Amino acid sequence: MSDRTFLDWPFFDDSHRALARDLDAWCSATLGHNHGDDVDAACRTLVRQLGDGGWLRYAVPAAYGGVHEALDVRSLALIRETLARHSGLADFVFAMQGLGSGTISLFGTPEQKADYLPAVARGDRIAAFALTELASGSDVAGMDSTATPTDDGYVVDGAKTFISNGGIADYYVLFARTGEAPGAKGISAFIVPSETPGLSIVERIEVIAPHPLATIGFDRMALPASALLGERGRGFAEAMATLDIFRTTVGAAALGFARRALDDATDRAASRQLFGARLSDNAITQTKLAEMALDVDASALLVYRAAWTRDVMGRRNTREAAMAKLFATDRAQQVIDKAVQIFGGMGVVKGVPVEALYREIRALRIYEGSSEVQKIVIARAHLADAGVAR
């Protein structure tokens, strides 16, 4: 049983503790670590299961079928940590329902919210967030996709890549250049149903930990004026505000992976006999376990501080979220590597959970802002707090 004493920390209230307990029990009864070879089908099943279980209600506001009046980052983080501990794919599914609807929750019109959010909460619609482009990568403001205004809407041309849920999503929250100004100030957000003429799946992308990923293209794709999400020319700010919420939860997912690795490594060390003694009696193994436990607790403190800052203090948590995401993902990589080492040869056998975790964790250090980008965010915030002008 994974350590749950962190739930006694003052970051949480009783509703969070009940959420963690109830979701853990549901995961134990419902989820497996292996979902088969058909990833698309597995994701569709998981969306339905999470919707039927009521867990997707935490991804939207209460007015549209959710649990909390506004998105509660502590709940989102607890859910992602718990799901990741049980199933990396279940965590992916939940995360994308949240990320792919988060901009609508924050900036959508009442009509857009009513049209999309209840269906996301029920698991009736699969969401996607289309921001990344191959040429610009982490430089979001350098995107090339365009949405040219017309008399009755927009015409979109370009492509997005590494789009999670690409190929299975029912709609995409798309960011494209509308040209009000150079760089970040000339980008707008749109809601694009997957059946829109001119949208195509250019390529499905296979990665080391299977997830639905694709490059999607837009060829003279016509959108009505009502597809605009938020304010024209404010798409970059809207994307960053959405990521501020969900970046913390990436750290939480990494924390869940790390907890599972620590739990499994501890069980392995306690049961494995080597040179006439338990592996856990070996001082080198104890050192590894100590380092793993330290990284897990330190990551949890940063993750839930970032969530608490947003939820309770009501402040934008860009700096805290960047710290949580950077530290938790980088340290989870180290924790999982140590777990594989403790397992020895069994640690690289397909089907053993630590082998899957080893593949799952790597992408978290890249998406929603790479580790290098997080360091820039943290440094700029630190210099601003110190009164150093840019």
Side-chain angles (χ1 to χ4, degrees):
M1 177 66 178
S2 196
D3 175 38
R4 313 308 287 158
T5 57
F6 76 97
L7 291 169
D8 296 328
W9 295 349
F11 295 127
F12 306 107
D13 59 33
D14 287 343
S15 69
H16 296 112
R17 298 180 184 101
L19 168 62
R21 180 188 64 242
D22 294 346
L23 178 57
D24 188 64
W26 181 87
C27 288
S28 295
T30 308
L31 299 180
H33 207 78
N34 189 340
H35 298 283
D37 294 330
D38 189 337
V39 175
D40 289 0
C43 286
R44 291 188 179 98
T45 297
L46 285 164
V47 169
R48 174 55 55 201
Q49 289 176 320
L50 289 167
D52 291 346
W55 310 115
L56 295 179
R57 295 179 58 228
Y58 287 89
V60 305
Y64 301 94
V67 174
H68 296 285
E69 182 177 350
L71 295 177
D72 183 79
V73 185
R74 289 169 295 172
S75 296
L76 295 172
L78 282 169
I79 290 171
R80 289 204 65 182
E81 180 190 334
T82 304
L83 290 174
R85 194 158 42 80
H86 287 271
S87 162
L89 199 59
D91 165 65
F92 166 85
V93 165
F94 178 85
M96 289 315 305
Q97 289 296 95
L99 184 63
S101 64
T103 314
I104 301 174
S105 294
L106 293 173
F107 301 103
T109 65
E111 293 77 16
Q112 288 170 334
K113 292 178 181 178
D115 190 10
Y116 286 92
L117 298 182
V120 167
R122 293 191 303 267
D124 291 341
R125 274 184 174 167
I126 297 176
F129 187 79
L131 181 66
T132 301
E133 296 185 5
L134 188 59
S136 55
S138 295
D139 179 18
V140 174
M143 69 175 61
D144 293 323
S145 293
T146 59
T148 304
T150 65
D151 290 340
D152 56 355
Y154 301 85
V155 172
V156 181
D157 289 287
K160 299 288 181 178
T161 195
F162 293 112
I163 303 307
S164 295
N165 280 344
I168 68 168
D170 294 301
Y171 74 89
Y172 299 85
V173 170
L174 168 68
F175 298 85
R177 185 166 299 286
T178 41
E180 290 76 16
K185 295 183 180 179
I187 294 170
S188 301
F190 302 90
I191 305 174
V192 183
S194 60
E195 68 272 13
T196 303
L199 185 156
S200 64
I201 305 302
V202 176
E203 177 188 19
R204 292 299 297 269
I205 302 170
E206 294 188 14
V207 289
I208 57 175
H211 299 90
L213 283 176
T215 297
I216 57 177
F218 315 101
D219 182 11
R220 303 293 297 169
M221 181 178 72
L223 295 177
S226 61
L228 180 67
L229 176 54
E231 185 180 344
R232 185 170 148 181
R234 294 282 299 165
F236 180 86
E238 293 166 12
M240 294 304 105
T242 306
L243 291 175
D244 273 352
I245 291 177
F246 288 95
R247 187 167 284 151
T248 300
T249 75
V250 179
L255 174 60
F257 290 153
R259 283 199 198 278
R260 176 63 183 265
L262 176 58
D263 291 346
D264 287 3
T266 302
D267 290 343
R268 173 73 170 177
S271 61
R272 171 75 164 150
Q273 292 287 320
L274 198 64
F275 302 115
R278 292 183 307 177
L279 190 58
S280 59
D281 295 330
N282 183 286
I284 295 176
T285 301
Q286 291 177 1
T287 297
K288 290 184 185 299
L289 292 171
E291 292 168 346
M292 295 161 74
L294 174 61
D295 284 341
V296 165
D297 269 19
S299 296
L301 284 164
L302 284 170
V303 165
Y304 291 112
R305 179 191 69 159
W308 177 85
T309 298
R310 174 83 184 205
D311 292 341
V312 178
M313 301 303 291
R315 297 201 306 258
R316 186 167 182 178
N317 65 342
T318 304
R319 170 182 174 273
E320 292 83 359
M323 285 184 167
K325 201 266 187 185
L326 170 65
F327 189 89
T329 57
D330 281 0
R331 294 308 174 94
Q333 181 91 58
Q334 297 178 32
V335 168
I336 293 166
D337 187 74
K338 290 183 175 76
V340 170
Q341 202 69 15
I342 288 172
F343 267 76
M346 288 300 297
V348 293
V349 174
K350 189 172 182 179
V352 175
V354 294
E355 181 271 341
L357 292 169
Y358 193 83
R359 290 182 286 105
E360 289 277 7
I361 187 56
R362 191 59 186 86
L364 272 66
R365 296 172 59 203
I366 297 173
Y367 73 66
E368 292 192 37
S370 67
S371 294
E372 292 76 13
V373 169
Q374 303 314 313
K375 290 176 183 178
I376 293 171
V377 171
I378 295 164
R380 287 178 176 173
H382 172 72
L383 291 170
D385 290 343
V388 179
R390 289 179 57 191

